[in-house]
Amino acid sequence: MAEREGIVYRINGPVIEANQVTGIFMGDMVEVGEERLIGETIGLDGDTAIIQVYEDTSGLRPGIKVYGTGLPLAAELGPGLIANTYDGIQRPLRDIQDKVGNFITRGVRVPALDREKKWHFVPKVKVGDKVKANSVLGTVQETVLIEHRIIVPPDVEGEIVFIIGEGDYTVEEIIAKVKTATGERELQMFHRWPVRQKRSLLNRLNPSIPLVTGQRTLDFLFPIAKGGVAAIPGGFGTGKTVLQHSFAKWCDADIIVYIGCGERGNEMTQVLEEFPELVDPKSGRPLMERTVLIANTSNMPVTARESSIYTGITMGEYFRDMGYHVAIMADSTSRWAEALREISGRLEEMPAEEGFPAYLASRLAEFYERAGLFDAGDGKLTSVSIIGAVSPPGGDFSEPVTQHTRRFIRCFWGLDPELAGARHFPAINWIDSYSEYIEDLAPWWVENFGIQWTELRTRFTEILQIEQRLQQVVKLVGPDALPDSERLILEIARIIKIAFLQQNALSEDDAYCVTMKQIRMAQAILHFYDRAKAIIEKGAPIFTITGLSVVQDILRMKSRIPNDRIEEFDDLLATINEQMDELEERYK
Ligand SMILES: Nc1ncnc2c1ncn2[C@@H]1O[C@H](COP(=O)(O)OP(=O)(O)OP(=O)(O)O)[C@@H](O)[C@H]1O
Ligand SMILES: [Mg+2]
């Protein structure tokens, strides 16, 4: 084998340069010095290589060697991913902690997937079967919630010439052999895949089913589709992380990949401590049984933060290829972009807006493009959805990361500091936010609930938009100058905001709202509005409406009527009708 080596001559933080390089190619993983620190070749010019190092480089000196591995930066994909916590280059943080304690010393090598653990493998193919990418060779019940399907890697196609019997095996044992056009391939329960390369071989479909989140403002007003892309931009403390956590807890994806690029260590600690305690509302099992965590804290090298996004999405694509619906959360993509900026600065590249490299936009595009709904064959669908938080400095959405992100996402959930300040949570601004999936998802509501959801939704957004205009007038001349029909709109908008849009992520009764309850709540509010409008037109003054006791019932319906007692909305409607009938009688 040709030697793959070079000599370090310059060290600049996490970026080092080596010359006299032989046998090392662009994108190759390298090992630096005798401690064998992990790095990646990100530039190559003649016999000079630029390498970003994923570990602390302090104390390294020129003259030490770099060793090429001949392999790109890759993730290990197989049983053991679920419930694990990794850093940006897929080092298992808990296993490392067990080995060396709380601080990751450099050069520590622990494989991403446990090499000793045995998994119970059940074969699903037999000798003579034809297999190709994503064919299921067998299954492993990885957690109570997740059956890990051992799939054929994307680059293998052929005939099974050996398949191991049912039994307990480590991830490294040969479980199958495939005769391919170029020879025989031995397959293990895991395989490696280069993180910067998308795995997609499947046919992309137009989004058509929602990723149900149980968050009313999202599901009802600004829904995301399975396979969709969304951004949550919001200034400091406006609720990005709480919203991402609500997603991870409640959304109806099969697998969650949570990438935490925290700026503060404690934010990630919170995730690491809180997630293992969470319980899946549907199964009652720990939520970690369907979750992979990727954790970066500010004390880890920025380079690991840069790669974490790719490691996360590669794992997501792997579970998608098994036929699952996957949701990926990245909190926050701004911290990732800042890592790009720092590395770019070290490389002395020509900066574009606000010091970010000119390729910021294309990197963001590459990331969000890996989402999608796909045809998994046999009429089955599979997807990767991406929800990225963005933290614009000073909450200014005109900065480059927010602006570029906007070009590649189709749901924009803008968090509003004024709403957060008024403790209206989630602080999603209903005027600036949007979803481009409305048309795609409308049929789902008809098929599953028999309702014209877009009509209900449009009535809500219209009321909220009219209210915004009327509030301008109120500011100038006060509410008394408005006719009662318009004051009614102000009242209905107030009800929509308090009763419907506000949803406390920490409350037991309201953190998750089933779709049917969302529908019944919206219908109750709109029914109240229709009846009140007719009565106002007959000359009743606005205070007769605002003074009705049923207004209080509507404001409290979210906590009074639980998800499993939806039929109680019938009583609420009856009360609305009773009180309205009585008023109508008076103003005949
Ligand atoms: N949906 C919600 N329900 C109830 N409280 C909320 C909700 N969202 C946010 N909050 C409150 O706002 C606080 C700040 O939220 P969060 O930490 O999510 O903000 P952030 O945007 O992630 O902040 P940072 O910019 O610091 O990362 C929370 O601690 C909580 O008190
Ligand atoms: Mg946060």
Side-chain angles (χ1 to χ4, degrees), residues 215 234-243 246 263-264 267 270 331-332 335 391 415 420 423 425-427 503-507:
Q215 311 302 305
F236 178 73
T238 47
K240 299 177 292 295
T241 303
V242 172
L243 199 56
S246 297
E263 87 199 284
R264 287 166 281 128
E267 217 173 29
Q270 196 192 333
D331 183 16
S332 138
R335 305 280 95 82
S391 346
L415 300 186
R423 304 209 57 81
F425 288 119
Q503 188 171 359
N504 187 344
L506 313 168
S507 115

Side-chain angles (χ1 to χ4, degrees), residues 23 152 165 207 242 271 306 330 335 387 450 549:
V152 173
V242 172
V271 173
E306 189 269 338
R335 305 280 95 82
I387 299 111
S549 69

Side-chain angles (χ1 to χ4, degrees), residues 201-345:
L201 292 161
L202 304 170
N203 269 339
R204 193 179 277 269
L205 302 170
N206 205 38
S208 56
I209 29 172
L211 181 65
V212 177
T213 68
Q215 311 302 305
R216 287 184 292 271
T217 310
L218 302 184
D219 292 349
F220 207 79
L221 291 189
F222 310 111
I224 177 173
K226 286 205 170 78
V229 275
I232 311 175
F236 178 73
T238 47
K240 299 177 292 295
T241 303
V242 172
L243 199 56
Q244 292 274 42
H245 286 198
S246 297
F247 250 103
K249 286 180 216 172
W250 305 109
C251 84
D252 69 341
D254 304 308
I255 304 273
I256 305 292
V257 179
Y258 194 98
I259 310 168
C261 303
E263 87 199 284
R264 287 166 281 128
N266 59 358
E267 217 173 29
M268 234 18 249
T269 319
Q270 196 192 333
V271 173
L272 297 182
E273 281 169 5
E274 196 184 293
F275 264 69
E277 311 268 301
L278 298 176
V279 170
D280 179 26
K282 278 158 271 173
S283 61
R285 303 288 311 173
L287 210 57
M288 277 305 282
E289 293 190 358
R290 62 159 193 172
T291 306
V292 188
L293 284 180
I294 299 180
N296 286 281
T297 57
S298 48
N299 55 8
M300 292 183 187
V302 288
T303 41
R305 205 195 294 163
E306 189 269 338
S307 62
S308 62
I309 290 270
Y310 302 98
T311 301
I313 192 109
T314 301
M315 291 176 187
E317 286 178 339
Y318 171 62
F319 285 108
R320 176 207 63 191
D321 285 350
M322 277 180 220
Y324 287 120
H325 291 291
V326 180
I328 297 184
M329 272 127 249
D331 183 16
S332 138
T333 58
S334 297
R335 305 280 95 82
W336 167 78
E338 284 156 18
L340 273 190
R341 174 165 67 187
E342 184 176 335
I343 298 161
S344 171

Side-chain angles (χ1 to χ4, degrees), residues 358-514:
Y359 47 78
L360 170 66
S362 62
R363 292 285 171 87
L364 280 167
E366 277 164 24
F367 171 56
Y368 285 108
E369 265 167 24
R370 288 173 78 167
L373 180 75
F374 299 87
D375 179 359
D378 303 332
K380 290 203 196 79
L381 298 174
T382 171
S383 66
V384 173
S385 312
I386 303 183
I387 299 111
V390 187
S391 346
D396 172 10
F397 289 179
S398 68
E399 59 87 44
V401 183
T402 316
Q403 281 306 314
H404 288 305
T405 300
R406 226 184 229 277
R407 294 162 54 195
F408 310 119
I409 50 90
R410 293 184 62 196
C411 271
F412 187 86
W413 300 322
L415 300 186
D416 185 328
E418 259 180 56
L419 290 176
R423 304 209 57 81
H424 173 114
F425 288 119
I428 297 168
N429 183 309
W430 50 85
I431 303 292
D432 299 338
S433 300
Y434 59 82
S435 161
E436 294 174 1
Y437 296 111
I438 309 288
E439 295 300 310
D440 299 323
L441 300 180
W444 179 86
W445 293 76
V446 179
E447 281 157 29
N448 289 275
F449 298 96
I451 62 145
Q452 296 297 331
W453 157 68
T454 47
E455 280 172 24
L456 298 176
R457 179 187 178 277
T458 306
R459 293 194 66 194
F460 260 38
T461 50
E462 274 171 8
I463 292 166
L464 292 167
Q465 277 159 8
I466 297 170
E467 187 241 13
Q468 198 201 22
R469 277 206 308 278
L470 293 177
Q471 288 295 1
Q472 304 295 331
V473 181
V474 170
K475 259 189 218 141
L476 291 174
V477 293
D480 295 343
L482 296 178
D484 279 354
S485 60
E486 292 186 335
R487 292 182 65 180
L488 177 63
I489 293 183
L490 293 184
E491 173 66 5
I492 301 299
R494 184 182 80 93
I495 293 173
I496 291 176
K497 286 186 253 177
I498 299 175
F500 193 90
L501 298 182
Q502 287 188 10
Q503 188 171 359
N504 187 344
L506 313 168
S507 115
E508 279 209 5
D509 320 307
D510 201 35
Y512 179 83
C513 183
V514 295

Side-chain angles (χ1 to χ4, degrees), residues 497-570:
K497 286 186 253 177
I498 299 175
F500 193 90
L501 298 182
Q502 287 188 10
Q503 188 171 359
N504 187 344
L506 313 168
S507 115
E508 279 209 5
D509 320 307
D510 201 35
Y512 179 83
C513 183
V514 295
T515 309
M516 198 58 210
K517 181 171 163 186
Q518 301 187 19
I519 295 169
R520 297 295 308 259
M521 288 173 76
Q523 285 172 334
I525 295 171
L526 290 170
H527 183 66
F528 177 84
Y529 176 44
D530 290 337
R531 297 257 2 219
K533 198 169 151 202
I535 292 168
I536 295 268
E537 275 163 12
K538 290 195 175 118
I542 183 72
F543 67 81
T544 58
I545 301 290
T546 51
L548 291 175
S549 69
V550 76
V551 171
Q552 298 310 316
D553 298 336
I554 295 175
L555 291 177
R556 282 188 221 122
M557 62 186 166
K558 59 182 164 193
S559 47
R560 285 269 177 87
I561 305 179
N563 283 325
D564 56 358
R565 294 213 305 267
I566 302 295
E567 66 285 354
E568 289 179 19
F569 277 97
D570 295 345

